[in-house]
Amino acid sequence: MSTIFTKIVQGEIPSYKIAEDEKYYAFLDINPLAKGHTLVIPKEETDYFFDLDEDLLAGMMVFSKKIAKAIEKVVPCNRIGVAVLGLEVPHAHIHLIPINSEADISFSRPKLKLTEEEFLEIAGKIRAEL
Ligand code: AMP
């Protein structure tokens, strides 16, 4: 059975897409810790980040760098925090989160509730910076 993220890549489930290439896909986290909170995934399904093939893992970071630089231009922040948890969705992913302080990347914090219009606006602005 496919993961929810594979379904997103295949267009079976909608997402606020930021970017894709032949190996990776980036989209907004639906329960964001901050505006611009983005997930980067490999299109190939692997549960655990550190089980990824070395080249795929290294390339995922390079792909994430481009996305992080674009997020920075749209969301005022000190920097883009990077987190890998994978406790909820068994499909390797990197969280890119605009942060100003350590507390901003705490996953125990309440998530933001954004409207569809807000998600669309942020995604469009980030895409425009790529
Ligand atoms: P974790 O596996 O612990 O890194 O958490 C999974 C993350 O995926 C959470 O931050 C969720 O909000 C996010 N998420 C789950 N389903 C979706 C979805 N359909 N679209 C966007 N983000 C999602």
Short mmCIF file of all heavy atoms in Angstrom, two decimals, residues 16-85:
data_model
loop_
_atom_site.label_atom_id
_atom_site.label_comp_id
_atom_site.label_asym_id
_atom_site.label_seq_id
_atom_site.Cartn_x
_atom_site.Cartn_y
_atom_site.Cartn_z
N TYR A 16 -0.07 21.47 -1.42
CA TYR A 16 0.37 22.81 -1.81
C TYR A 16 1.81 22.66 -2.27
O TYR A 16 2.75 22.75 -1.47
CB TYR A 16 0.23 23.78 -0.65
CG TYR A 16 -1.21 23.92 -0.17
CD1 TYR A 16 -1.64 23.26 0.99
CD2 TYR A 16 -2.13 24.66 -0.90
CE1 TYR A 16 -2.96 23.37 1.41
CE2 TYR A 16 -3.46 24.77 -0.47
CZ TYR A 16 -3.85 24.11 0.68
OH TYR A 16 -5.16 24.20 1.09
N LYS A 17 1.93 22.38 -3.55
CA LYS A 17 3.24 22.02 -4.11
C LYS A 17 4.18 23.22 -4.17
O LYS A 17 3.77 24.32 -4.55
CB LYS A 17 3.04 21.45 -5.51
CG LYS A 17 4.30 21.04 -6.20
CD LYS A 17 3.93 20.31 -7.48
CE LYS A 17 4.99 20.49 -8.53
NZ LYS A 17 4.61 19.79 -9.77
N ILE A 18 5.42 23.00 -3.81
CA ILE A 18 6.45 24.03 -3.90
C ILE A 18 7.36 23.75 -5.09
O ILE A 18 7.69 24.66 -5.86
CB ILE A 18 7.30 24.09 -2.60
CG1 ILE A 18 6.40 24.39 -1.38
CG2 ILE A 18 8.41 25.11 -2.72
CD1 ILE A 18 5.71 25.73 -1.39
N ALA A 19 7.81 22.50 -5.23
CA ALA A 19 8.72 22.18 -6.33
C ALA A 19 8.82 20.67 -6.47
O ALA A 19 8.50 19.92 -5.53
CB ALA A 19 10.12 22.74 -6.03
N GLU A 20 9.26 20.25 -7.64
CA GLU A 20 9.61 18.84 -7.82
C GLU A 20 10.65 18.71 -8.91
O GLU A 20 10.79 19.59 -9.76
CB GLU A 20 8.38 17.97 -8.14
CG GLU A 20 7.83 18.12 -9.51
CD GLU A 20 6.65 17.17 -9.78
OE1 GLU A 20 6.76 15.96 -9.51
OE2 GLU A 20 5.63 17.66 -10.28
N ASP A 21 11.39 17.61 -8.86
CA ASP A 21 12.21 17.22 -10.00
C ASP A 21 12.01 15.72 -10.16
O ASP A 21 11.04 15.16 -9.63
CB ASP A 21 13.68 17.66 -9.83
CG ASP A 21 14.41 16.95 -8.70
OD1 ASP A 21 13.84 15.98 -8.12
OD2 ASP A 21 15.55 17.33 -8.40
N GLU A 22 12.90 15.07 -10.85
CA GLU A 22 12.64 13.64 -11.11
C GLU A 22 12.73 12.79 -9.83
O GLU A 22 12.08 11.75 -9.73
CB GLU A 22 13.51 13.09 -12.25
CG GLU A 22 15.01 13.09 -12.09
CD GLU A 22 15.69 14.46 -12.12
OE1 GLU A 22 15.06 15.51 -12.37
OE2 GLU A 22 16.90 14.47 -11.86
N LYS A 23 13.47 13.28 -8.82
CA LYS A 23 13.67 12.45 -7.62
C LYS A 23 12.96 12.95 -6.37
O LYS A 23 12.74 12.18 -5.44
CB LYS A 23 15.17 12.38 -7.30
CG LYS A 23 15.95 11.57 -8.31
CD LYS A 23 17.39 11.47 -7.84
CE LYS A 23 18.22 10.69 -8.84
NZ LYS A 23 19.63 10.96 -8.70
N TYR A 24 12.67 14.26 -6.31
CA TYR A 24 12.19 14.85 -5.06
C TYR A 24 10.92 15.68 -5.28
O TYR A 24 10.65 16.17 -6.39
CB TYR A 24 13.27 15.75 -4.43
CG TYR A 24 14.59 15.05 -4.30
CD1 TYR A 24 15.65 15.35 -5.17
CD2 TYR A 24 14.79 14.06 -3.34
CE1 TYR A 24 16.87 14.69 -5.08
CE2 TYR A 24 16.01 13.39 -3.24
CZ TYR A 24 17.04 13.71 -4.11
OH TYR A 24 18.24 13.05 -4.03
N TYR A 25 10.20 15.87 -4.17
CA TYR A 25 8.96 16.65 -4.22
C TYR A 25 8.89 17.46 -2.92
O TYR A 25 9.20 16.94 -1.84
CB TYR A 25 7.78 15.67 -4.31
CG TYR A 25 6.43 16.28 -4.62
CD1 TYR A 25 5.92 16.29 -5.92
CD2 TYR A 25 5.64 16.83 -3.61
CE1 TYR A 25 4.67 16.83 -6.20
CE2 TYR A 25 4.39 17.37 -3.89
CZ TYR A 25 3.91 17.36 -5.18
OH TYR A 25 2.67 17.89 -5.47
N ALA A 26 8.53 18.73 -3.03
CA ALA A 26 8.41 19.60 -1.85
C ALA A 26 7.01 20.20 -1.80
O ALA A 26 6.48 20.62 -2.84
CB ALA A 26 9.46 20.70 -1.90
N PHE A 27 6.43 20.23 -0.61
CA PHE A 27 5.06 20.76 -0.45
C PHE A 27 4.89 21.28 0.98
O PHE A 27 5.65 20.91 1.88
CB PHE A 27 4.02 19.66 -0.75
CG PHE A 27 4.19 18.40 0.07
CD1 PHE A 27 3.32 18.11 1.13
CD2 PHE A 27 5.22 17.50 -0.19
CE1 PHE A 27 3.48 16.95 1.90
CE2 PHE A 27 5.39 16.34 0.58
CZ PHE A 27 4.50 16.07 1.61
N LEU A 28 3.90 22.14 1.14
CA LEU A 28 3.69 22.73 2.48
C LEU A 28 3.15 21.68 3.44
O LEU A 28 2.27 20.88 3.07
CB LEU A 28 2.70 23.90 2.39
CG LEU A 28 3.15 25.13 1.63
CD1 LEU A 28 2.05 26.19 1.66
CD2 LEU A 28 4.45 25.70 2.20
N ASP A 29 3.65 21.71 4.67
CA ASP A 29 3.09 20.87 5.74
C ASP A 29 1.69 21.40 6.06
O ASP A 29 1.50 22.61 6.24
CB ASP A 29 4.00 20.91 6.98
CG ASP A 29 3.63 19.83 7.99
OD1 ASP A 29 2.46 19.78 8.42
OD2 ASP A 29 4.51 19.03 8.35
N ILE A 30 0.75 20.48 6.13
CA ILE A 30 -0.65 20.86 6.32
C ILE A 30 -0.94 21.32 7.76
O ILE A 30 -1.92 22.01 8.02
CB ILE A 30 -1.57 19.68 5.90
CG1 ILE A 30 -2.96 20.15 5.51
CG2 ILE A 30 -1.63 18.60 6.94
CD1 ILE A 30 -3.04 20.79 4.19
N ASN A 31 -0.07 20.93 8.70
CA ASN A 31 -0.19 21.38 10.10
C ASN A 31 1.09 22.10 10.49
O ASN A 31 1.92 21.58 11.27
CB ASN A 31 -0.41 20.17 11.04
CG ASN A 31 -1.74 19.52 10.80
OD1 ASN A 31 -2.78 20.16 10.88
ND2 ASN A 31 -1.71 18.24 10.48
N PRO A 32 1.28 23.30 9.95
CA PRO A 32 2.60 23.94 10.06
C PRO A 32 2.91 24.51 11.45
O PRO A 32 2.03 25.00 12.15
CB PRO A 32 2.51 25.07 9.03
CG PRO A 32 1.04 25.39 8.95
CD PRO A 32 0.31 24.10 9.20
N LEU A 33 4.20 24.45 11.78
CA LEU A 33 4.68 25.14 12.99
C LEU A 33 4.87 26.62 12.70
O LEU A 33 4.88 27.44 13.61
CB LEU A 33 6.02 24.53 13.43
CG LEU A 33 5.92 23.23 14.22
CD1 LEU A 33 7.30 22.63 14.41
CD2 LEU A 33 5.26 23.48 15.58
N ALA A 34 5.07 26.96 11.43
CA ALA A 34 5.25 28.36 11.03
C ALA A 34 4.79 28.49 9.59
O ALA A 34 4.74 27.49 8.86
CB ALA A 34 6.73 28.74 11.12
N LYS A 35 4.45 29.69 9.18
CA LYS A 35 4.15 29.93 7.78
C LYS A 35 5.36 29.54 6.95
O LYS A 35 6.49 29.91 7.29
CB LYS A 35 3.80 31.40 7.52
CG LYS A 35 2.38 31.73 7.93
CD LYS A 35 1.98 33.11 7.41
CE LYS A 35 0.51 33.36 7.76
NZ LYS A 35 0.00 34.62 7.22
N GLY A 36 5.15 28.79 5.89
CA GLY A 36 6.26 28.37 5.04
C GLY A 36 6.85 27.03 5.41
O GLY A 36 7.74 26.53 4.72
N HIS A 37 6.36 26.41 6.49
CA HIS A 37 6.82 25.07 6.91
C HIS A 37 6.61 24.11 5.74
O HIS A 37 5.49 23.87 5.30
CB HIS A 37 6.02 24.64 8.14
CG HIS A 37 6.38 23.31 8.72
ND1 HIS A 37 5.97 22.93 9.98
CD2 HIS A 37 7.07 22.24 8.24
CE1 HIS A 37 6.40 21.71 10.25
NE2 HIS A 37 7.06 21.26 9.19
N THR A 38 7.73 23.58 5.26
CA THR A 38 7.71 22.76 4.03
C THR A 38 8.30 21.38 4.29
O THR A 38 9.20 21.23 5.11
CB THR A 38 8.53 23.50 2.95
OG1 THR A 38 7.89 24.74 2.65
CG2 THR A 38 8.66 22.69 1.67
N LEU A 39 7.78 20.40 3.59
CA LEU A 39 8.32 19.04 3.65
C LEU A 39 8.98 18.71 2.32
O LEU A 39 8.43 19.03 1.26
CB LEU A 39 7.20 18.03 3.92
CG LEU A 39 6.40 18.21 5.21
CD1 LEU A 39 5.28 17.18 5.29
CD2 LEU A 39 7.29 18.12 6.43
N VAL A 40 10.14 18.10 2.40
CA VAL A 40 10.84 17.63 1.20
C VAL A 40 10.93 16.11 1.28
O VAL A 40 11.37 15.57 2.31
CB VAL A 40 12.25 18.24 1.10
CG1 VAL A 40 13.00 17.64 -0.09
CG2 VAL A 40 12.18 19.76 0.97
N ILE A 41 10.50 15.44 0.24
CA ILE A 41 10.51 13.97 0.25
C ILE A 41 11.19 13.43 -1.02
O ILE A 41 11.17 14.10 -2.06
CB ILE A 41 9.07 13.39 0.33
CG1 ILE A 41 8.25 13.75 -0.92
CG2 ILE A 41 8.35 13.88 1.56
CD1 ILE A 41 6.92 13.03 -1.01
N PRO A 42 11.74 12.23 -0.91
CA PRO A 42 12.15 11.55 -2.14
C PRO A 42 10.88 10.92 -2.74
O PRO A 42 10.01 10.47 -2.00
CB PRO A 42 13.11 10.47 -1.65
CG PRO A 42 12.72 10.20 -0.24
CD PRO A 42 12.03 11.43 0.30
N LYS A 43 10.78 10.90 -4.05
CA LYS A 43 9.60 10.29 -4.66
C LYS A 43 9.56 8.79 -4.39
O LYS A 43 8.50 8.20 -4.22
CB LYS A 43 9.58 10.58 -6.16
CG LYS A 43 9.30 12.05 -6.46
CD LYS A 43 9.19 12.31 -7.94
CE LYS A 43 8.70 13.74 -8.18
NZ LYS A 43 8.63 14.08 -9.61
N GLU A 44 10.75 8.21 -4.34
CA GLU A 44 10.86 6.78 -4.03
C GLU A 44 10.47 6.56 -2.57
O GLU A 44 10.88 7.32 -1.71
CB GLU A 44 12.32 6.39 -4.27
CG GLU A 44 12.65 4.95 -4.08
CD GLU A 44 14.16 4.74 -4.22
OE1 GLU A 44 14.73 5.09 -5.28
OE2 GLU A 44 14.78 4.27 -3.24
N GLU A 45 9.69 5.51 -2.32
CA GLU A 45 9.18 5.27 -0.97
C GLU A 45 10.20 4.54 -0.10
O GLU A 45 10.54 3.40 -0.37
CB GLU A 45 7.93 4.40 -1.10
CG GLU A 45 6.76 4.90 -0.33
CD GLU A 45 5.55 4.02 -0.53
OE1 GLU A 45 5.58 2.86 -0.08
OE2 GLU A 45 4.60 4.47 -1.16
N THR A 46 10.68 5.20 0.92
CA THR A 46 11.52 4.57 1.95
C THR A 46 11.05 5.17 3.26
O THR A 46 10.85 6.38 3.34
CB THR A 46 13.01 4.91 1.74
OG1 THR A 46 13.44 4.34 0.50
CG2 THR A 46 13.88 4.34 2.86
N ASP A 47 10.86 4.35 4.26
CA ASP A 47 10.34 4.83 5.54
C ASP A 47 11.37 5.70 6.26
O ASP A 47 11.15 6.91 6.49
CB ASP A 47 9.94 3.62 6.40
CG ASP A 47 9.52 3.97 7.82
OD1 ASP A 47 9.52 5.16 8.18
OD2 ASP A 47 9.19 3.04 8.59
N TYR A 48 12.53 5.10 6.57
CA TYR A 48 13.48 5.74 7.48
C TYR A 48 14.53 6.53 6.71
O TYR A 48 15.20 6.00 5.82
CB TYR A 48 14.13 4.63 8.33
CG TYR A 48 15.09 5.07 9.40
CD1 TYR A 48 14.85 6.20 10.17
CD2 TYR A 48 16.22 4.30 9.67
CE1 TYR A 48 15.74 6.58 11.16
CE2 TYR A 48 17.11 4.67 10.68
CZ TYR A 48 16.87 5.81 11.41
OH TYR A 48 17.75 6.17 12.39
N PHE A 49 14.65 7.80 7.09
CA PHE A 49 15.58 8.73 6.43
C PHE A 49 16.98 8.12 6.26
O PHE A 49 17.57 8.19 5.18
CB PHE A 49 15.64 10.00 7.28
CG PHE A 49 16.47 11.11 6.71
CD1 PHE A 49 16.05 11.82 5.60
CD2 PHE A 49 17.66 11.47 7.32
CE1 PHE A 49 16.80 12.87 5.09
CE2 PHE A 49 18.42 12.51 6.82
CZ PHE A 49 18.00 13.22 5.69
N PHE A 50 17.48 7.47 7.30
CA PHE A 50 18.85 6.96 7.24
C PHE A 50 18.96 5.59 6.56
O PHE A 50 20.04 5.02 6.51
CB PHE A 50 19.50 6.99 8.63
CG PHE A 50 19.80 8.40 9.09
CD1 PHE A 50 19.22 8.92 10.24
CD2 PHE A 50 20.64 9.22 8.34
CE1 PHE A 50 19.48 10.23 10.64
CE2 PHE A 50 20.91 10.53 8.74
CZ PHE A 50 20.32 11.03 9.89
N ASP A 51 17.85 5.12 6.02
CA ASP A 51 17.90 3.95 5.13
C ASP A 51 17.96 4.37 3.67
O ASP A 51 18.05 3.52 2.78
CB ASP A 51 16.66 3.05 5.33
CG ASP A 51 16.77 2.20 6.58
OD1 ASP A 51 17.91 1.96 7.03
OD2 ASP A 51 15.73 1.78 7.11
N LEU A 52 17.88 5.67 3.41
CA LEU A 52 17.94 6.14 2.02
C LEU A 52 19.32 5.85 1.44
O LEU A 52 20.33 5.94 2.15
CB LEU A 52 17.68 7.66 1.94
CG LEU A 52 16.27 8.14 2.21
CD1 LEU A 52 16.24 9.67 2.29
CD2 LEU A 52 15.30 7.65 1.13
N ASP A 53 19.32 5.53 0.19
CA ASP A 53 20.56 5.38 -0.57
C ASP A 53 21.40 6.66 -0.38
O ASP A 53 20.85 7.76 -0.32
CB ASP A 53 20.13 5.19 -2.04
CG ASP A 53 21.27 5.36 -3.00
OD1 ASP A 53 21.93 4.37 -3.25
OD2 ASP A 53 21.48 6.50 -3.47
N GLU A 54 22.70 6.53 -0.29
CA GLU A 54 23.55 7.68 0.05
C GLU A 54 23.42 8.84 -0.92
O GLU A 54 23.34 10.00 -0.51
CB GLU A 54 25.01 7.24 0.15
CG GLU A 54 25.24 6.41 1.40
CD GLU A 54 26.66 5.94 1.57
OE1 GLU A 54 27.55 6.41 0.84
OE2 GLU A 54 26.86 5.10 2.45
N ASP A 55 23.39 8.52 -2.21
CA ASP A 55 23.28 9.60 -3.20
C ASP A 55 21.92 10.28 -3.11
O ASP A 55 21.81 11.51 -3.25
CB ASP A 55 23.49 9.05 -4.62
CG ASP A 55 24.95 8.67 -4.85
OD1 ASP A 55 25.81 9.15 -4.10
OD2 ASP A 55 25.20 7.89 -5.78
N LEU A 56 20.89 9.49 -2.87
CA LEU A 56 19.54 10.05 -2.78
C LEU A 56 19.44 10.97 -1.56
O LEU A 56 18.87 12.06 -1.61
CB LEU A 56 18.51 8.92 -2.71
CG LEU A 56 17.06 9.34 -2.90
CD1 LEU A 56 16.83 9.89 -4.31
CD2 LEU A 56 16.11 8.17 -2.64
N LEU A 57 20.06 10.53 -0.45
CA LEU A 57 20.03 11.31 0.78
C LEU A 57 20.81 12.62 0.61
O LEU A 57 20.33 13.70 0.97
CB LEU A 57 20.61 10.48 1.92
CG LEU A 57 20.46 11.05 3.33
CD1 LEU A 57 20.30 9.92 4.33
CD2 LEU A 57 21.64 11.89 3.73
N ALA A 58 21.98 12.52 0.00
CA ALA A 58 22.79 13.72 -0.20
C ALA A 58 22.07 14.69 -1.14
O ALA A 58 22.01 15.90 -0.89
CB ALA A 58 24.16 13.35 -0.77
N GLY A 59 21.49 14.16 -2.19
CA GLY A 59 20.78 15.00 -3.16
C GLY A 59 19.56 15.66 -2.54
O GLY A 59 19.18 16.78 -2.93
N MET A 60 18.97 15.01 -1.57
CA MET A 60 17.78 15.56 -0.91
C MET A 60 18.14 16.83 -0.14
O MET A 60 17.37 17.79 -0.08
CB MET A 60 17.24 14.49 0.04
CG MET A 60 15.83 14.66 0.49
SD MET A 60 15.35 13.12 1.32
CE MET A 60 13.98 13.73 2.28
N MET A 61 19.34 16.83 0.43
CA MET A 61 19.81 18.02 1.14
C MET A 61 20.08 19.17 0.16
O MET A 61 19.76 20.32 0.45
CB MET A 61 21.09 17.70 1.92
CG MET A 61 20.83 17.20 3.30
SD MET A 61 19.95 18.47 4.27
CE MET A 61 19.53 17.54 5.72
N VAL A 62 20.66 18.85 -0.98
CA VAL A 62 20.94 19.89 -1.98
C VAL A 62 19.63 20.46 -2.51
O VAL A 62 19.48 21.68 -2.66
CB VAL A 62 21.82 19.30 -3.12
CG1 VAL A 62 22.03 20.33 -4.21
CG2 VAL A 62 23.15 18.83 -2.56
N PHE A 63 18.67 19.58 -2.76
CA PHE A 63 17.34 20.03 -3.21
C PHE A 63 16.70 20.91 -2.12
O PHE A 63 16.15 21.97 -2.41
CB PHE A 63 16.47 18.79 -3.49
CG PHE A 63 15.11 19.09 -4.06
CD1 PHE A 63 14.93 19.31 -5.41
CD2 PHE A 63 14.00 19.13 -3.23
CE1 PHE A 63 13.67 19.58 -5.94
CE2 PHE A 63 12.73 19.39 -3.74
CZ PHE A 63 12.56 19.62 -5.10
N SER A 64 16.84 20.50 -0.87
CA SER A 64 16.26 21.25 0.26
C SER A 64 16.87 22.64 0.37
O SER A 64 16.21 23.60 0.77
CB SER A 64 16.47 20.50 1.58
OG SER A 64 15.81 19.27 1.55
N LYS A 65 18.16 22.74 0.04
CA LYS A 65 18.82 24.05 0.13
C LYS A 65 18.13 25.07 -0.77
O LYS A 65 17.87 26.20 -0.35
CB LYS A 65 20.30 23.89 -0.27
CG LYS A 65 21.04 25.21 -0.33
CD LYS A 65 22.50 25.04 -0.67
CE LYS A 65 23.15 26.41 -0.86
NZ LYS A 65 24.59 26.31 -1.07
N LYS A 66 17.81 24.67 -1.99
CA LYS A 66 17.14 25.59 -2.92
C LYS A 66 15.80 26.03 -2.36
O LYS A 66 15.42 27.20 -2.43
CB LYS A 66 16.89 24.89 -4.28
CG LYS A 66 18.11 24.76 -5.13
CD LYS A 66 17.76 24.08 -6.44
CE LYS A 66 18.28 22.67 -6.43
NZ LYS A 66 17.91 21.80 -7.49
N ILE A 67 15.09 25.09 -1.78
CA ILE A 67 13.76 25.40 -1.23
C ILE A 67 13.91 26.33 -0.02
O ILE A 67 13.18 27.32 0.12
CB ILE A 67 13.03 24.10 -0.79
CG1 ILE A 67 13.03 23.05 -1.90
CG2 ILE A 67 11.62 24.42 -0.31
CD1 ILE A 67 12.29 23.38 -3.14
N ALA A 68 14.88 26.03 0.85
CA ALA A 68 15.09 26.85 2.04
C ALA A 68 15.42 28.29 1.67
O ALA A 68 14.90 29.24 2.27
CB ALA A 68 16.21 26.25 2.90
N LYS A 69 16.26 28.47 0.66
CA LYS A 69 16.63 29.82 0.23
C LYS A 69 15.40 30.58 -0.28
O LYS A 69 15.29 31.80 -0.11
CB LYS A 69 17.70 29.76 -0.86
CG LYS A 69 19.02 29.22 -0.37
CD LYS A 69 19.74 30.27 0.47
CE LYS A 69 21.06 29.77 1.01
NZ LYS A 69 21.65 30.67 1.98
N ALA A 70 14.50 29.88 -0.93
CA ALA A 70 13.28 30.53 -1.43
C ALA A 70 12.33 30.86 -0.27
O ALA A 70 11.75 31.95 -0.23
CB ALA A 70 12.58 29.61 -2.44
N ILE A 71 12.21 29.95 0.70
CA ILE A 71 11.33 30.21 1.85
C ILE A 71 11.81 31.45 2.60
O ILE A 71 11.02 32.32 2.98
CB ILE A 71 11.29 28.99 2.82
CG1 ILE A 71 10.73 27.75 2.12
CG2 ILE A 71 10.44 29.32 4.05
CD1 ILE A 71 10.88 26.46 2.95
N GLU A 72 13.13 31.53 2.80
CA GLU A 72 13.74 32.66 3.51
C GLU A 72 13.34 34.01 2.92
O GLU A 72 13.23 35.00 3.63
CB GLU A 72 15.26 32.59 3.35
CG GLU A 72 16.00 31.91 4.44
CD GLU A 72 17.46 31.72 4.02
OE1 GLU A 72 17.98 32.54 3.24
OE2 GLU A 72 18.03 30.74 4.46
N LYS A 73 13.18 34.03 1.60
CA LYS A 73 12.86 35.29 0.93
C LYS A 73 11.42 35.70 1.15
O LYS A 73 11.04 36.85 0.99
CB LYS A 73 13.14 35.16 -0.57
CG LYS A 73 14.62 35.08 -0.86
CD LYS A 73 14.88 35.04 -2.36
CE LYS A 73 16.36 34.83 -2.62
NZ LYS A 73 16.62 33.99 -3.78
N VAL A 74 10.59 34.72 1.51
CA VAL A 74 9.16 34.99 1.65
C VAL A 74 8.74 35.17 3.12
O VAL A 74 7.90 36.00 3.43
CB VAL A 74 8.36 33.83 1.00
CG1 VAL A 74 6.87 33.98 1.25
CG2 VAL A 74 8.66 33.76 -0.49
N VAL A 75 9.33 34.37 3.97
CA VAL A 75 8.95 34.40 5.38
C VAL A 75 10.09 35.02 6.19
O VAL A 75 11.18 34.43 6.28
CB VAL A 75 8.67 32.96 5.91
CG1 VAL A 75 8.22 32.99 7.35
CG2 VAL A 75 7.64 32.27 5.04
N PRO A 76 9.86 36.19 6.77
CA PRO A 76 10.93 36.80 7.57
C PRO A 76 11.29 35.89 8.74
O PRO A 76 10.41 35.46 9.48
CB PRO A 76 10.30 38.10 8.09
CG PRO A 76 9.06 38.31 7.28
CD PRO A 76 8.63 36.96 6.79
N CYS A 77 12.58 35.55 8.86
CA CYS A 77 13.00 34.66 9.94
C CYS A 77 14.51 34.75 10.10
O CYS A 77 15.20 35.27 9.22
CB CYS A 77 12.59 33.21 9.66
SG CYS A 77 13.33 32.52 8.17
N ASN A 78 14.95 34.24 11.22
CA ASN A 78 16.38 34.24 11.51
C ASN A 78 17.10 33.25 10.58
O ASN A 78 18.15 33.52 10.03
CB ASN A 78 16.54 33.82 12.98
CG ASN A 78 17.90 34.11 13.51
OD1 ASN A 78 18.86 33.95 12.78
ND2 ASN A 78 17.98 34.54 14.74
N ARG A 79 16.48 32.06 10.43
CA ARG A 79 16.99 31.05 9.51
C ARG A 79 15.96 29.94 9.32
O ARG A 79 14.94 29.93 10.00
CB ARG A 79 18.32 30.47 9.97
CG ARG A 79 18.31 29.87 11.35
CD ARG A 79 19.71 29.47 11.77
NE ARG A 79 20.63 30.61 11.68
CZ ARG A 79 21.91 30.52 11.34
NH1 ARG A 79 22.44 29.35 11.08
NH2 ARG A 79 22.67 31.59 11.28
N ILE A 80 16.30 29.02 8.42
CA ILE A 80 15.40 27.89 8.22
C ILE A 80 15.93 26.71 9.04
O ILE A 80 17.05 26.24 8.81
CB ILE A 80 15.31 27.48 6.72
CG1 ILE A 80 14.83 28.66 5.87
CG2 ILE A 80 14.39 26.28 6.56
CD1 ILE A 80 13.45 29.19 6.20
N GLY A 81 15.12 26.27 9.99
CA GLY A 81 15.48 25.10 10.79
C GLY A 81 15.18 23.83 10.00
O GLY A 81 14.27 23.80 9.16
N VAL A 82 15.96 22.80 10.28
CA VAL A 82 15.82 21.53 9.58
C VAL A 82 15.56 20.44 10.62
O VAL A 82 16.26 20.36 11.62
CB VAL A 82 17.12 21.19 8.82
CG1 VAL A 82 17.00 19.85 8.10
CG2 VAL A 82 17.46 22.29 7.83
N ALA A 83 14.52 19.63 10.37
CA ALA A 83 14.22 18.55 11.31
C ALA A 83 13.82 17.30 10.55
O ALA A 83 13.19 17.38 9.50
CB ALA A 83 13.10 18.97 12.25
N VAL A 84 14.21 16.17 11.11
CA VAL A 84 13.77 14.88 10.58
C VAL A 84 13.20 14.10 11.75
O VAL A 84 13.90 13.84 12.73
CB VAL A 84 14.94 14.09 9.94
CG1 VAL A 84 14.49 12.70 9.53
CG2 VAL A 84 15.52 14.85 8.76
N LEU A 85 11.93 13.75 11.66
CA LEU A 85 11.28 12.96 12.72
C LEU A 85 10.79 11.63 12.15
O LEU A 85 11.30 10.58 12.48
CB LEU A 85 10.12 13.73 13.36
CG LEU A 85 10.49 14.89 14.28
CD1 LEU A 85 10.81 16.14 13.48
CD2 LEU A 85 9.39 15.16 15.26
#
